[in-house]
Amino acid sequence: MQNEIKDVVVIGGGVVGTAILRKLSLYHLSIALVEKQPDVCEGASKANSGIIHTGFDAPPNSLEAECLKRSRDLWPDYTEQLKIPYIPCGAIMVATNEEEKEIIEKKYIPNAEANGAHVEWLDRDEVLEMNPAVTDKVVGALSIPGEAICDPFTATRSYAELAVINGAELFLGSGVIDIKEIENGFSVILEDGREINTKYIVNAAGVYSDHISRMIGDTSFTISPRKGQFILTEEEIDISQIILPVPTAKSKGTLVSPVVFGGFLLGPTAEDQQDKEDKSTSTEGIEQVLTGCEKLIPQVREYDSIRQFAGIRAVCSTGDYVIRPSEKNKQFIHAAGIRSTGLSASPGIAEVVAEQLQSAGLELEKDHDAKIEIPNLFDDSEENVGEIICLCRTITRGEITNAMEGPVPPTTIDGVKRRTGATLGECQGNCCIPKIVDILHEYGLDDHKVPLKGIQHSTIAVKGGQQR
Ligand SMILES: Cc1cc2nc3c(=O)[nH]c(=O)nc-3n(C[C@H](O)[C@H](O)[C@H](O)COP(=O)(O)OP(=O)(O)OC[C@H]3O[C@@H](n4cnc5c(N)ncnc54)[C@H](O)[C@@H]3O)c2cc1C
């Protein structure tokens, strides 16, 4: 039981929830975030295309378009301050016949103009010069130079780390199971029995944000899951940009994109389903990806895939982002229905949520001592680096202990992998997992088993120290 009353509790540790936490950590506020998984970035934020979209194709006048527009101005500073791997490679929407060219001219160019996103037409030779692997059926392409790729995990982790450095508290590994309304606020009840009292709640629970909403009797929207399957390849593909298809009336189609750490992503599918947890891949889904992508890059079937995975989009019944106070209680702000562009729009969403909280009565007084930049936490001096733990990827003990001592330390092997790259090599962890488990034990994970993923309860409370 927590006695202190928080100003704001954010529910959900995806890219949206953590972006909001970071933003709120710049003010004199007592804030916390609750995430049911043992780490941040375990939902849609973990499995997406990693593209920073400009919003050129977002519905004009939508909240999504507004958040993407605001984010365009914020990303350059964010990538620097938060040390997010980022490549401003640009994207092209490829027309493979005159009909597709006409769709671009009649629909996408005016749409981009309405949203203030810069686009320009490239002729066939310009497209092939920059992207020789593109189909020779190409008649031209819409260039969207502002599109970029980034690492979604670092974005989410860095948002959370900066917030923790500024004093935010994280409750990981125990989901919210109920919310009671109390005088001037709420009591948030976690699976493990803990209760957090707070004046305001932000609902950023992704595909479960409708469940969270119902905890206070708000049934104003529903969220349904839409799966997207991907293929990851490390083959050389002779493209330098994100290659987008012209969407049809039925589907947005599948794209081919460079990945910020190397390799290329093919996908995703768009499959409506009932199950919010089903992230399985299927032969049909992978075939759909290949059929879509070969229209853009004819060689795709020749490439070996190193991994196939799927993510779940949160499709909202309202058709747009839901960022507003609940009809049931104005101190409960939704940041829900963030379907396809939440990584790109996260800086703008955080701004809008802060404004909504302020309109609902929360005082936002700037904390002039708050950090806006992630410090360089790794001391790579020889004595700190130590033995090599992951032989395949040459990851040292120092790199793993550095992750363990960071503001948001891992509690699972997967968490170590995502922060350091250990276990990702050829042996897939066969050699290094036992040593990683030992290091996790050294850092106080006193359970007999350290999970690969799974649930671990932890509280991280920092200004100056951590408790778990
Ligand atoms: C296939 C695919 C491709 C995409 N491509 C892109 C792209 O290229 N660019 C882009 O900008 N966007 C893309 N997106 C969209 C983007 O990934 C999402 O919009 C974004 O990740 C949503 O973030 P979120 O924080 O709202 O949700 P999530 O990341 O799902 O986070 C919600 C969190 O809430 C937690 N939670 C749920 N219930 C509870 C509870 N009861 N208690 C506590 N915590 C709870 C979950 O565990 C989860 O971690 C893509 C999405 C998919 C699926």
Side-chain angles (χ1 to χ4, degrees):
M1 169 71 107
Q2 310 282 313
N3 294 324
E4 178 205 11
I5 179 154
K6 299 282 178 204
D7 292 308
V8 187
V9 166
V10 178
I11 303 174
V15 74
V16 170
T18 56
I20 294 165
L21 195 73
R22 172 210 160 271
K23 173 73 184 167
L24 297 178
S25 81
L26 306 180
Y27 300 97
H28 282 290
L29 293 172
S30 164
I31 55 173
L33 179 144
V34 182
E35 165 55 54
K36 71 176 174 185
Q37 297 294 337
D39 203 350
V40 295
C41 202
E42 289 286 357
S45 306
K46 171 182 177 171
N48 54 56
S49 315
I51 298 172
I52 303 293
H53 298 288
T54 55
F56 78 98
D57 56 348
N61 304 318
S62 61
L63 190 49
E64 180 183 12
E66 167 68 18
C67 291
L68 286 162
K69 190 172 175 195
R70 291 177 74 158
S71 301
R72 286 204 294 270
D73 297 335
L74 296 168
W75 270 116
D77 282 348
Y78 273 42
T79 54
E80 291 277 310
Q81 292 164 356
L82 301 175
K83 299 188 168 55
I84 302 171
Y86 169 86
I87 302 175
C89 53
I92 53 168
M93 182 184 272
V94 172
T96 56
N97 54 44
E98 289 302 321
E99 197 186 321
E100 288 183 345
K101 184 177 174 189
E102 200 179 322
I103 295 174
I104 290 178
E105 284 167 351
K106 291 207 169 133
K107 180 169 179 192
Y108 289 98
I109 295 179
N111 203 94
E113 280 165 4
N115 288 342
H118 176 62
V119 292
E120 58 200 34
W121 180 254
L122 297 182
D123 64 29
R124 176 191 151 84
D125 291 347
E126 290 172 298
V127 173
L128 290 172
E129 194 185 325
M130 292 169 80
N131 300 287
V134 164
T135 175
D136 61 11
K137 290 192 182 137
V138 59
V139 296
L142 184 71
S143 166
I144 313 109
E147 305 249 315
I149 52 172
C150 84
D151 173 35
F153 176 66
T154 311
T156 310
R157 172 193 174 187
S158 292
Y159 281 144
E161 287 193 345
L162 195 82
V164 168
I165 288 167
N166 286 333
E169 199 171 354
L170 292 193
F171 293 83
L172 300 178
S174 189
V176 174
I177 53 162
D178 201 4
I179 298 170
K180 283 192 244 155
E181 289 178 66
I182 57 174
E183 199 188 340
N184 195 28
F186 308 89
S187 177
V188 179
I189 298 146
L190 309 192
E191 270 167 78
D192 62 7
R194 286 182 289 182
E195 285 186 31
I196 314 167
N197 291 341
T198 179
K199 295 177 196 153
Y200 292 82
I201 286 179
V202 177
N203 172 17
V207 82
Y208 289 102
S209 49
D210 52 349
H211 291 208
I212 298 294
S213 175
R214 276 158 186 69
M215 290 179 190
I216 62 156
D218 180 344
T219 55
S220 57
F221 62 91
T222 54
I223 302 286
S224 38
R226 182 174 294 164
K227 186 193 282 183
Q229 300 190 40
F230 289 101
I231 298 172
L232 178 63
T233 176
E234 284 190 345
E235 303 267 355
E236 276 303 312
I237 308 183
D238 206 357
I239 55 172
S240 57
Q241 297 183 293
I242 303 156
I243 313 294
L244 306 169
V246 177
T248 63
K250 268 191 176 167
S251 139
K252 272 193 108 173
T254 53
L255 56 86
V256 181
S257 174
V259 177
V260 83
F261 295 122
F264 295 87
L265 262 189
L266 281 58
T269 57
E271 302 161 63
D272 289 318
Q273 59 185 31
Q274 297 295 319
D275 189 343
K276 293 191 175 193
E277 293 295 327
D278 175 7
K279 294 180 195 152
S280 59
T281 55
S282 64
T283 315
E284 300 74 39
I286 296 306
E287 177 54 34
Q288 214 179 309
V289 171
L290 290 172
T291 306
C293 291
E294 74 183 338
K295 289 188 188 139
L296 302 170
I297 313 275
Q299 284 81 21
V300 289
R301 286 184 191 275
E302 293 163 23
Y303 304 142
D304 282 335
S305 136
I306 58 159
R307 208 156 71 83
Q308 300 166 358
F309 62 95
I312 305 287
R313 302 175 187 85
V315 181
C316 188
S317 52
T318 66
D320 194 1
Y321 291 0
V322 179
I323 310 179
R324 55 162 173 81
S326 165
E327 297 156 357
K328 295 287 172 188
N329 190 322
K330 72 174 185 146
Q331 286 166 237
F332 186 106
I333 309 290
H334 296 299
I338 317 291
R339 188 193 63 190
S340 298
T341 46
L343 167 65
S344 317
S346 56
I349 294 171
E351 301 282 314
V352 175
V353 168
E355 289 161 11
Q356 296 273 354
L357 284 163
Q358 198 170 25
S359 306
L362 179 69
E363 207 174 308
L364 294 184
E365 189 200 331
K366 270 244 173 256
D367 178 353
H368 295 288
D369 293 330
K371 301 273 181 285
I372 54 165
E373 202 164 318
I374 291 281
N376 196 357
L377 294 165
F378 187 40
D379 166 10
D380 61 0
S381 60
E382 220 168 279
E383 64 274 19
N384 190 44
V385 166
E387 71 182 300
I388 293 174
I389 300 292
C390 168
L391 291 170
C392 305
R393 291 277 166 125
T394 329
I395 308 296
T396 63
R397 172 175 280 273
E399 286 169 271
I400 296 173
T401 57
N402 176 63
M404 298 305 299
E405 287 165 17
V408 183
T411 56
T412 62
I413 294 164
D414 207 45
V416 173
K417 175 182 91 181
R418 299 206 288 170
R419 285 164 177 78
T420 65
T423 82
L424 279 173
E426 256 175 62
C427 88
Q428 290 289 296
N430 277 336
C431 305
C432 58
I433 283 178
K435 289 182 181 171
I436 294 171
V437 171
D438 286 347
I439 297 174
L440 285 165
H441 283 158
E442 280 166 31
Y443 278 85
L445 287 167
D446 52 1
D447 307 81
H448 299 299
K449 284 189 210 143
V450 175
L452 188 60
K453 298 178 180 176
I455 298 295
Q456 283 275 314
H457 295 151
S458 69
T459 304
I460 302 162
V462 173
K463 241 177 185 166
Q466 295 154 18
Q467 62 184 66
R468 194 184 292 120

